[in-house]
Amino acid sequence: MRTIVITGATDGMGKALALHYLAHGEQVIAIGRDSFKGRMLLEEAGKFCAADRVHFFAADLGLIAENRKVIAKIANAFPQVDVLVLCARHFRSTRMETSEGLEDYFASFYLSRFLFSHELLPALERARNPVIINVAGPGDDTGKINWEDLQTTRNYDGLTAMEQCGRAVDLLAVSFVAQHPDVKTRYVLLHPGLVSTSFSGEYSSDVTAQIERMKKAGMSIAEGISPIKTLIDNPPRAPLSAYVRSREISLDHKNFDKADAARLYEITTSILQR
């Protein structure tokens, strides 16, 4: 029985993955911001699996302290983690700062994934064939890193912030491998394509209309999680790989620049040490 940690596990693809692996006899640790949705997940899972195989932790992943608190809880209760799936995201059309003084989307989408990747690594390294699946946007040429304004303090636009975080996550994967060259944990970036998932967030009216069009055009959640399941069950051998659905893409691209990855790593560690 594998232990699978999933962030963003109470909605959309994260929830579908959690239920799939519970149905197949695995142990799942689900993380989400909404306690009510967490209870609904536990109730649904309880209809077909033992209660000791499904666990829910409520956490606002926009807060560094809450990320570290839940990571510590997981590490203490489950010393070995086989799979980490990073699915959580919560879109905001309007800029919001957290109580820790960080832009919420940057914190919840990028910093949270950084923290889980690095700080859950000891538990992952105890597994036989550990893998991190970071569900993001590799292969997407939109967006760029604004080094002078990583937290979009000027002229905030939700879509621009989302695209910048997508590129930051690409660089996170590159710096993770550079910082941990001798680990057996495989790091996989995955772009699932356009999926009619939950699209958790707070949207302006124009973005809401765009989201509804995307949902209509997107594939089903079952189709969306298919390549994720394949990569969980058969992790690539390379330390780092990136996929657009089932198609592996080259890492020889500006989005995976090693110097940029090192630069962002240094900035990120500085932010986290404040």
Side-chain angles (χ1 to χ4, degrees):
M1 179 176 69
R2 290 176 297 179
T3 297
I4 301 174
V5 175
I6 305 173
T7 69
T10 57
D11 275 311
M13 290 191 294
K15 181 179 180 181
L17 284 168
L19 294 173
H20 168 81
Y21 282 104
L22 288 167
H24 284 76
E26 311 288 17
Q27 176 169 243
V28 171
I29 300 150
I31 302 162
R33 67 171 57 215
D34 191 316
S35 295
F36 174 77
K37 290 181 179 180
R39 291 194 297 272
M40 293 301 99
L41 173 65
L42 295 177
E43 183 177 312
E44 188 171 347
K47 295 175 182 177
F48 61 85
C49 82
D52 63 355
R53 284 202 293 108
V54 56
H55 312 269
F56 171 70
F57 291 99
D60 179 354
L61 297 183
L63 295 172
I64 293 170
E66 288 209 21
N67 277 275
R68 287 186 161 146
K69 183 178 178 180
V70 76
I71 290 168
K73 285 182 177 180
I74 293 168
N76 288 333
F78 310 94
Q80 176 179 305
V81 171
D82 297 86
V83 181
L84 170 61
V85 184
L86 300 166
C87 275
R89 68 168 70 196
H90 188 78
F91 184 89
R92 291 190 185 277
S93 287
T94 303
R95 189 180 190 277
M96 190 193 88
E97 282 197 2
T98 69
S99 59
E100 296 173 331
L102 298 169
E103 192 271 306
D104 183 76
Y105 198 83
F106 175 79
S108 62
F109 186 51
Y110 169 66
L111 290 180
S112 171
R113 292 171 189 238
F114 184 99
L115 287 164
F116 268 86
S117 297
H118 288 278
E119 297 189 7
L120 205 57
L121 182 59
L124 283 156
E125 281 294 285
R126 296 187 186 101
R128 184 173 64 85
N129 194 23
V131 60
I132 299 172
I133 310 290
N134 197 330
V135 183
D140 189 342
D141 283 335
T142 61
K144 62 180 181 179
I145 302 291
N146 182 346
W147 295 104
E148 305 306 317
D149 193 18
L150 285 173
Q151 298 188 57
T152 51
T153 59
R154 301 183 295 275
N155 302 315
Y156 179 89
D157 174 79
L159 293 174
T160 300
M162 179 180 71
E163 290 167 353
Q164 174 168 255
C165 284
R167 302 292 68 76
V169 168
D170 290 342
L171 296 178
L172 157 59
V174 176
S175 65
F176 177 90
V177 173
Q179 291 294 319
H180 308 290
D182 299 321
V183 300
K184 59 184 174 181
T185 301
R186 307 297 86 177
Y187 207 107
V188 183
L189 290 164
L190 174 71
H191 191 324
L194 182 58
V195 182
S196 185
T197 187
S198 62
F199 291 101
S200 172
E202 298 175 13
Y203 299 95
S204 62
S205 57
D206 58 328
V207 176
T208 298
Q210 183 177 346
I211 293 297
E212 290 306 312
R213 291 193 295 271
M214 290 170 64
K215 285 184 177 182
K216 289 180 180 178
M219 69 189 81
S220 69
I221 289 175
E223 291 177 285
I225 67 171
S226 178
I228 306 175
K229 293 189 296 182
T230 297
L231 291 165
I232 289 173
D233 296 334
N234 298 283
R237 292 185 178 183
L240 172 62
S241 53
Y243 291 79
V244 175
R245 295 220 23 98
S246 59
R247 176 175 60 86
E248 187 170 7
I249 62 174
S250 172
L251 299 176
D252 185 20
H253 187 280
K254 60 182 176 63
N255 288 356
F256 308 106
D257 183 82
K258 291 180 180 180
D260 284 347
R263 181 182 182 184
L264 184 59
Y265 178 85
E266 292 301 321
I267 293 170
T268 303
T269 54
S270 176
I271 291 171
L272 293 173
Q273 289 166 3
R274 290 176 187 171

PDB file of all heavy atoms in Angstrom, residues 110 114 147 168 170-176 178-179 256-270:
ATOM      1  N   TYR A 110       2.767  29.064  -5.906  1.00  0.00           N
ATOM      2  CA  TYR A 110       4.214  28.832  -6.051  1.00  0.00           C
ATOM      3  C   TYR A 110       4.903  28.470  -4.737  1.00  0.00           C
ATOM      4  O   TYR A 110       5.523  27.406  -4.617  1.00  0.00           O
ATOM      5  CB  TYR A 110       4.898  30.047  -6.677  1.00  0.00           C
ATOM      6  CG  TYR A 110       6.404  29.940  -6.603  1.00  0.00           C
ATOM      7  CD1 TYR A 110       7.085  28.946  -7.319  1.00  0.00           C
ATOM      8  CD2 TYR A 110       7.159  30.773  -5.764  1.00  0.00           C
ATOM      9  CE1 TYR A 110       8.467  28.807  -7.225  1.00  0.00           C
ATOM     10  CE2 TYR A 110       8.533  30.638  -5.669  1.00  0.00           C
ATOM     11  CZ  TYR A 110       9.178  29.652  -6.389  1.00  0.00           C
ATOM     12  OH  TYR A 110      10.539  29.501  -6.288  1.00  0.00           O
ATOM     13  N   PHE A 114       6.797  24.938  -3.520  1.00  0.00           N
ATOM     14  CA  PHE A 114       8.211  24.947  -3.145  1.00  0.00           C
ATOM     15  C   PHE A 114       8.387  24.277  -1.784  1.00  0.00           C
ATOM     16  O   PHE A 114       9.247  23.407  -1.599  1.00  0.00           O
ATOM     17  CB  PHE A 114       8.712  26.400  -3.105  1.00  0.00           C
ATOM     18  CG  PHE A 114      10.174  26.552  -2.817  1.00  0.00           C
ATOM     19  CD1 PHE A 114      11.075  26.766  -3.845  1.00  0.00           C
ATOM     20  CD2 PHE A 114      10.659  26.495  -1.510  1.00  0.00           C
ATOM     21  CE1 PHE A 114      12.436  26.916  -3.584  1.00  0.00           C
ATOM     22  CE2 PHE A 114      12.015  26.645  -1.243  1.00  0.00           C
ATOM     23  CZ  PHE A 114      12.902  26.851  -2.284  1.00  0.00           C
ATOM     24  N   TRP A 147      11.125  39.853 -12.679  1.00  0.00           N
ATOM     25  CA  TRP A 147      12.044  39.774 -11.551  1.00  0.00           C
ATOM     26  C   TRP A 147      11.920  40.956 -10.606  1.00  0.00           C
ATOM     27  O   TRP A 147      12.234  40.838  -9.407  1.00  0.00           O
ATOM     28  CB  TRP A 147      13.480  39.656 -12.058  1.00  0.00           C
ATOM     29  CG  TRP A 147      13.733  38.393 -12.812  1.00  0.00           C
ATOM     30  CD1 TRP A 147      13.849  38.242 -14.164  1.00  0.00           C
ATOM     31  CD2 TRP A 147      13.881  37.073 -12.260  1.00  0.00           C
ATOM     32  NE1 TRP A 147      14.057  36.917 -14.487  1.00  0.00           N
ATOM     33  CE2 TRP A 147      14.089  36.175 -13.340  1.00  0.00           C
ATOM     34  CE3 TRP A 147      13.868  36.564 -10.958  1.00  0.00           C
ATOM     35  CZ2 TRP A 147      14.278  34.810 -13.143  1.00  0.00           C
ATOM     36  CZ3 TRP A 147      14.058  35.207 -10.761  1.00  0.00           C
ATOM     37  CH2 TRP A 147      14.255  34.340 -11.840  1.00  0.00           C
ATOM     38  N   ALA A 168       7.281  30.216 -12.782  1.00  0.00           N
ATOM     39  CA  ALA A 168       8.042  30.026 -11.548  1.00  0.00           C
ATOM     40  C   ALA A 168       8.058  28.565 -11.129  1.00  0.00           C
ATOM     41  O   ALA A 168       9.076  28.056 -10.642  1.00  0.00           O
ATOM     42  CB  ALA A 168       7.449  30.893 -10.434  1.00  0.00           C
ATOM     43  N   ASP A 170       7.918  26.006 -13.165  1.00  0.00           N
ATOM     44  CA  ASP A 170       8.889  25.347 -14.051  1.00  0.00           C
ATOM     45  C   ASP A 170      10.295  25.467 -13.462  1.00  0.00           C
ATOM     46  O   ASP A 170      11.058  24.493 -13.416  1.00  0.00           O
ATOM     47  CB  ASP A 170       8.873  25.981 -15.444  1.00  0.00           C
ATOM     48  CG  ASP A 170       7.599  25.692 -16.226  1.00  0.00           C
ATOM     49  OD1 ASP A 170       6.872  24.754 -15.860  1.00  0.00           O
ATOM     50  OD2 ASP A 170       7.346  26.417 -17.211  1.00  0.00           O
ATOM     51  N   LEU A 171      10.643  26.667 -13.025  1.00  0.00           N
ATOM     52  CA  LEU A 171      11.977  26.900 -12.477  1.00  0.00           C
ATOM     53  C   LEU A 171      12.158  26.212 -11.128  1.00  0.00           C
ATOM     54  O   LEU A 171      13.267  25.775 -10.785  1.00  0.00           O
ATOM     55  CB  LEU A 171      12.233  28.397 -12.349  1.00  0.00           C
ATOM     56  CG  LEU A 171      12.265  29.185 -13.671  1.00  0.00           C
ATOM     57  CD1 LEU A 171      12.471  30.675 -13.399  1.00  0.00           C
ATOM     58  CD2 LEU A 171      13.358  28.661 -14.605  1.00  0.00           C
ATOM     59  N   LEU A 172      11.079  26.111 -10.361  1.00  0.00           N
ATOM     60  CA  LEU A 172      11.126  25.374  -9.097  1.00  0.00           C
ATOM     61  C   LEU A 172      11.599  23.942  -9.322  1.00  0.00           C
ATOM     62  O   LEU A 172      12.458  23.428  -8.586  1.00  0.00           O
ATOM     63  CB  LEU A 172       9.735  25.374  -8.444  1.00  0.00           C
ATOM     64  CG  LEU A 172       9.400  24.256  -7.446  1.00  0.00           C
ATOM     65  CD1 LEU A 172      10.359  24.256  -6.276  1.00  0.00           C
ATOM     66  CD2 LEU A 172       7.963  24.369  -6.981  1.00  0.00           C
ATOM     67  N   ALA A 173      11.053  23.292 -10.332  1.00  0.00           N
ATOM     68  CA  ALA A 173      11.437  21.909 -10.621  1.00  0.00           C
ATOM     69  C   ALA A 173      12.916  21.805 -10.974  1.00  0.00           C
ATOM     70  O   ALA A 173      13.621  20.888 -10.538  1.00  0.00           O
ATOM     71  CB  ALA A 173      10.575  21.360 -11.752  1.00  0.00           C
ATOM     72  N   VAL A 174      13.402  22.764 -11.767  1.00  0.00           N
ATOM     73  CA  VAL A 174      14.814  22.757 -12.170  1.00  0.00           C
ATOM     74  C   VAL A 174      15.719  22.946 -10.956  1.00  0.00           C
ATOM     75  O   VAL A 174      16.715  22.227 -10.776  1.00  0.00           O
ATOM     76  CB  VAL A 174      15.080  23.852 -13.227  1.00  0.00           C
ATOM     77  CG1 VAL A 174      16.569  23.921 -13.569  1.00  0.00           C
ATOM     78  CG2 VAL A 174      14.254  23.586 -14.491  1.00  0.00           C
ATOM     79  N   SER A 175      15.376  23.893 -10.091  1.00  0.00           N
ATOM     80  CA  SER A 175      16.224  24.153  -8.921  1.00  0.00           C
ATOM     81  C   SER A 175      16.121  23.019  -7.902  1.00  0.00           C
ATOM     82  O   SER A 175      17.097  22.731  -7.191  1.00  0.00           O
ATOM     83  CB  SER A 175      15.859  25.489  -8.269  1.00  0.00           C
ATOM     84  OG  SER A 175      14.552  25.475  -7.733  1.00  0.00           O
ATOM     85  N   PHE A 176      14.978  22.355  -7.826  1.00  0.00           N
ATOM     86  CA  PHE A 176      14.837  21.217  -6.918  1.00  0.00           C
ATOM     87  C   PHE A 176      15.864  20.143  -7.264  1.00  0.00           C
ATOM     88  O   PHE A 176      16.558  19.617  -6.389  1.00  0.00           O
ATOM     89  CB  PHE A 176      13.422  20.649  -6.999  1.00  0.00           C
ATOM     90  CG  PHE A 176      13.209  19.419  -6.148  1.00  0.00           C
ATOM     91  CD1 PHE A 176      12.785  19.541  -4.835  1.00  0.00           C
ATOM     92  CD2 PHE A 176      13.443  18.148  -6.654  1.00  0.00           C
ATOM     93  CE1 PHE A 176      12.598  18.414  -4.038  1.00  0.00           C
ATOM     94  CE2 PHE A 176      13.257  17.015  -5.865  1.00  0.00           C
ATOM     95  CZ  PHE A 176      12.835  17.152  -4.556  1.00  0.00           C
ATOM     96  N   ALA A 178      18.600  20.535  -8.964  1.00  0.00           N
ATOM     97  CA  ALA A 178      19.957  21.058  -8.743  1.00  0.00           C
ATOM     98  C   ALA A 178      20.338  21.026  -7.264  1.00  0.00           C
ATOM     99  O   ALA A 178      21.487  20.742  -6.919  1.00  0.00           O
ATOM    100  CB  ALA A 178      20.048  22.484  -9.274  1.00  0.00           C
ATOM    101  N   GLN A 179      19.376  21.293  -6.392  1.00  0.00           N
ATOM    102  CA  GLN A 179      19.640  21.304  -4.956  1.00  0.00           C
ATOM    103  C   GLN A 179      19.745  19.905  -4.369  1.00  0.00           C
ATOM    104  O   GLN A 179      20.370  19.707  -3.332  1.00  0.00           O
ATOM    105  CB  GLN A 179      18.532  22.077  -4.220  1.00  0.00           C
ATOM    106  CG  GLN A 179      18.522  23.564  -4.489  1.00  0.00           C
ATOM    107  CD  GLN A 179      19.757  24.253  -3.956  1.00  0.00           C
ATOM    108  OE1 GLN A 179      20.229  23.953  -2.864  1.00  0.00           O
ATOM    109  NE2 GLN A 179      20.300  25.185  -4.728  1.00  0.00           N
ATOM    110  N   PHE A 256      13.048  26.567 -18.657  1.00  0.00           N
ATOM    111  CA  PHE A 256      13.769  25.702 -17.719  1.00  0.00           C
ATOM    112  C   PHE A 256      15.234  26.142 -17.569  1.00  0.00           C
ATOM    113  O   PHE A 256      16.092  25.322 -17.273  1.00  0.00           O
ATOM    114  CB  PHE A 256      13.702  24.246 -18.198  1.00  0.00           C
ATOM    115  CG  PHE A 256      12.302  23.769 -18.487  1.00  0.00           C
ATOM    116  CD1 PHE A 256      11.861  23.595 -19.799  1.00  0.00           C
ATOM    117  CD2 PHE A 256      11.408  23.537 -17.458  1.00  0.00           C
ATOM    118  CE1 PHE A 256      10.575  23.169 -20.070  1.00  0.00           C
ATOM    119  CE2 PHE A 256      10.118  23.095 -17.710  1.00  0.00           C
ATOM    120  CZ  PHE A 256       9.695  22.921 -19.025  1.00  0.00           C
ATOM    121  N   ASP A 257      15.470  27.424 -17.736  1.00  0.00           N
ATOM    122  CA  ASP A 257      16.824  27.955 -17.680  1.00  0.00           C
ATOM    123  C   ASP A 257      17.432  27.761 -16.285  1.00  0.00           C
ATOM    124  O   ASP A 257      16.842  28.162 -15.272  1.00  0.00           O
ATOM    125  CB  ASP A 257      16.809  29.444 -18.027  1.00  0.00           C
ATOM    126  CG  ASP A 257      18.191  30.041 -18.058  1.00  0.00           C
ATOM    127  OD1 ASP A 257      18.868  29.903 -19.077  1.00  0.00           O
ATOM    128  OD2 ASP A 257      18.588  30.626 -17.030  1.00  0.00           O
ATOM    129  N   LYS A 258      18.599  27.145 -16.225  1.00  0.00           N
ATOM    130  CA  LYS A 258      19.215  26.808 -14.940  1.00  0.00           C
ATOM    131  C   LYS A 258      19.641  28.046 -14.156  1.00  0.00           C
ATOM    132  O   LYS A 258      19.538  28.077 -12.925  1.00  0.00           O
ATOM    133  CB  LYS A 258      20.394  25.866 -15.158  1.00  0.00           C
ATOM    134  CG  LYS A 258      19.972  24.481 -15.636  1.00  0.00           C
ATOM    135  CD  LYS A 258      21.171  23.574 -15.834  1.00  0.00           C
ATOM    136  CE  LYS A 258      20.739  22.190 -16.309  1.00  0.00           C
ATOM    137  NZ  LYS A 258      21.899  21.284 -16.520  1.00  0.00           N
ATOM    138  N   ALA A 259      20.126  29.056 -14.855  1.00  0.00           N
ATOM    139  CA  ALA A 259      20.540  30.275 -14.159  1.00  0.00           C
ATOM    140  C   ALA A 259      19.330  30.987 -13.562  1.00  0.00           C
ATOM    141  O   ALA A 259      19.375  31.473 -12.421  1.00  0.00           O
ATOM    142  CB  ALA A 259      21.279  31.198 -15.123  1.00  0.00           C
ATOM    143  N   ASP A 260      18.233  31.050 -14.320  1.00  0.00           N
ATOM    144  CA  ASP A 260      17.006  31.645 -13.798  1.00  0.00           C
ATOM    145  C   ASP A 260      16.480  30.839 -12.617  1.00  0.00           C
ATOM    146  O   ASP A 260      15.979  31.403 -11.627  1.00  0.00           O
ATOM    147  CB  ASP A 260      15.935  31.706 -14.888  1.00  0.00           C
ATOM    148  CG  ASP A 260      16.177  32.817 -15.895  1.00  0.00           C
ATOM    149  OD1 ASP A 260      17.031  33.691 -15.625  1.00  0.00           O
ATOM    150  OD2 ASP A 260      15.513  32.816 -16.952  1.00  0.00           O
ATOM    151  N   ALA A 261      16.581  29.509 -12.704  1.00  0.00           N
ATOM    152  CA  ALA A 261      16.110  28.653 -11.615  1.00  0.00           C
ATOM    153  C   ALA A 261      16.908  28.914 -10.340  1.00  0.00           C
ATOM    154  O   ALA A 261      16.342  29.014  -9.244  1.00  0.00           O
ATOM    155  CB  ALA A 261      16.215  27.186 -12.020  1.00  0.00           C
ATOM    156  N   ALA A 262      18.228  29.055 -10.475  1.00  0.00           N
ATOM    157  CA  ALA A 262      19.079  29.327  -9.318  1.00  0.00           C
ATOM    158  C   ALA A 262      18.756  30.700  -8.724  1.00  0.00           C
ATOM    159  O   ALA A 262      18.717  30.872  -7.498  1.00  0.00           O
ATOM    160  CB  ALA A 262      20.545  29.254  -9.724  1.00  0.00           C
ATOM    161  N   ARG A 263      18.512  31.664  -9.608  1.00  0.00           N
ATOM    162  CA  ARG A 263      18.169  33.010  -9.143  1.00  0.00           C
ATOM    163  C   ARG A 263      16.862  32.998  -8.363  1.00  0.00           C
ATOM    164  O   ARG A 263      16.763  33.589  -7.274  1.00  0.00           O
ATOM    165  CB  ARG A 263      18.067  33.955 -10.352  1.00  0.00           C
ATOM    166  CG  ARG A 263      17.727  35.393  -9.999  1.00  0.00           C
ATOM    167  CD  ARG A 263      17.610  36.241 -11.255  1.00  0.00           C
ATOM    168  NE  ARG A 263      17.336  37.634 -10.947  1.00  0.00           N
ATOM    169  CZ  ARG A 263      17.103  38.583 -11.869  1.00  0.00           C
ATOM    170  NH1 ARG A 263      17.132  38.259 -13.169  1.00  0.00           N
ATOM    171  NH2 ARG A 263      16.857  39.824 -11.501  1.00  0.00           N
ATOM    172  N   LEU A 264      15.861  32.321  -8.878  1.00  0.00           N
ATOM    173  CA  LEU A 264      14.572  32.271  -8.200  1.00  0.00           C
ATOM    174  C   LEU A 264      14.669  31.499  -6.889  1.00  0.00           C
ATOM    175  O   LEU A 264      14.022  31.865  -5.901  1.00  0.00           O
ATOM    176  CB  LEU A 264      13.514  31.632  -9.115  1.00  0.00           C
ATOM    177  CG  LEU A 264      12.088  31.610  -8.561  1.00  0.00           C
ATOM    178  CD1 LEU A 264      11.577  33.019  -8.265  1.00  0.00           C
ATOM    179  CD2 LEU A 264      11.132  30.893  -9.521  1.00  0.00           C
ATOM    180  N   TYR A 265      15.470  30.465  -6.867  1.00  0.00           N
ATOM    181  CA  TYR A 265      15.663  29.701  -5.633  1.00  0.00           C
ATOM    182  C   TYR A 265      16.212  30.604  -4.534  1.00  0.00           C
ATOM    183  O   TYR A 265      15.739  30.571  -3.383  1.00  0.00           O
ATOM    184  CB  TYR A 265      16.611  28.526  -5.880  1.00  0.00           C
ATOM    185  CG  TYR A 265      16.905  27.720  -4.631  1.00  0.00           C
ATOM    186  CD1 TYR A 265      16.045  26.707  -4.217  1.00  0.00           C
ATOM    187  CD2 TYR A 265      18.041  27.986  -3.859  1.00  0.00           C
ATOM    188  CE1 TYR A 265      16.306  25.979  -3.063  1.00  0.00           C
ATOM    189  CE2 TYR A 265      18.306  27.265  -2.702  1.00  0.00           C
ATOM    190  CZ  TYR A 265      17.431  26.256  -2.315  1.00  0.00           C
ATOM    191  OH  TYR A 265      17.693  25.546  -1.167  1.00  0.00           O
ATOM    192  N   GLU A 266      17.199  31.406  -4.852  1.00  0.00           N
ATOM    193  CA  GLU A 266      17.794  32.296  -3.854  1.00  0.00           C
ATOM    194  C   GLU A 266      16.778  33.326  -3.362  1.00  0.00           C
ATOM    195  O   GLU A 266      16.699  33.609  -2.163  1.00  0.00           O
ATOM    196  CB  GLU A 266      19.024  33.000  -4.446  1.00  0.00           C
ATOM    197  CG  GLU A 266      20.188  32.067  -4.721  1.00  0.00           C
ATOM    198  CD  GLU A 266      20.676  31.349  -3.479  1.00  0.00           C
ATOM    199  OE1 GLU A 266      20.714  31.998  -2.401  1.00  0.00           O
ATOM    200  OE2 GLU A 266      21.017  30.154  -3.564  1.00  0.00           O
ATOM    201  N   ILE A 267      15.995  33.877  -4.276  1.00  0.00           N
ATOM    202  CA  ILE A 267      14.962  34.849  -3.883  1.00  0.00           C
ATOM    203  C   ILE A 267      13.928  34.179  -2.987  1.00  0.00           C
ATOM    204  O   ILE A 267      13.497  34.736  -1.968  1.00  0.00           O
ATOM    205  CB  ILE A 267      14.289  35.448  -5.130  1.00  0.00           C
ATOM    206  CG1 ILE A 267      15.286  36.307  -5.921  1.00  0.00           C
ATOM    207  CG2 ILE A 267      13.074  36.284  -4.738  1.00  0.00           C
ATOM    208  CD1 ILE A 267      14.781  36.750  -7.280  1.00  0.00           C
ATOM    209  N   THR A 268      13.535  32.969  -3.370  1.00  0.00           N
ATOM    210  CA  THR A 268      12.498  32.256  -2.618  1.00  0.00           C
ATOM    211  C   THR A 268      12.968  31.926  -1.210  1.00  0.00           C
ATOM    212  O   THR A 268      12.228  32.121  -0.234  1.00  0.00           O
ATOM    213  CB  THR A 268      12.106  30.960  -3.351  1.00  0.00           C
ATOM    214  OG1 THR A 268      11.680  31.282  -4.679  1.00  0.00           O
ATOM    215  CG2 THR A 268      10.978  30.236  -2.626  1.00  0.00           C
ATOM    216  N   THR A 269      14.177  31.416  -1.071  1.00  0.00           N
ATOM    217  CA  THR A 269      14.669  31.085   0.267  1.00  0.00           C
ATOM    218  C   THR A 269      14.778  32.346   1.133  1.00  0.00           C
ATOM    219  O   THR A 269      14.527  32.303   2.342  1.00  0.00           O
ATOM    220  CB  THR A 269      16.034  30.379   0.193  1.00  0.00           C
ATOM    221  OG1 THR A 269      16.961  31.161  -0.565  1.00  0.00           O
ATOM    222  CG2 THR A 269      15.889  29.001  -0.457  1.00  0.00           C
ATOM    223  N   SER A 270      15.096  33.465   0.515  1.00  0.00           N
ATOM    224  CA  SER A 270      15.142  34.720   1.241  1.00  0.00           C
ATOM    225  C   SER A 270      13.753  35.130   1.740  1.00  0.00           C
ATOM    226  O   SER A 270      13.596  35.554   2.890  1.00  0.00           O
ATOM    227  CB  SER A 270      15.722  35.825   0.353  1.00  0.00           C
ATOM    228  OG  SER A 270      15.704  37.071   1.001  1.00  0.00           O
TER     229      SER A 270
END
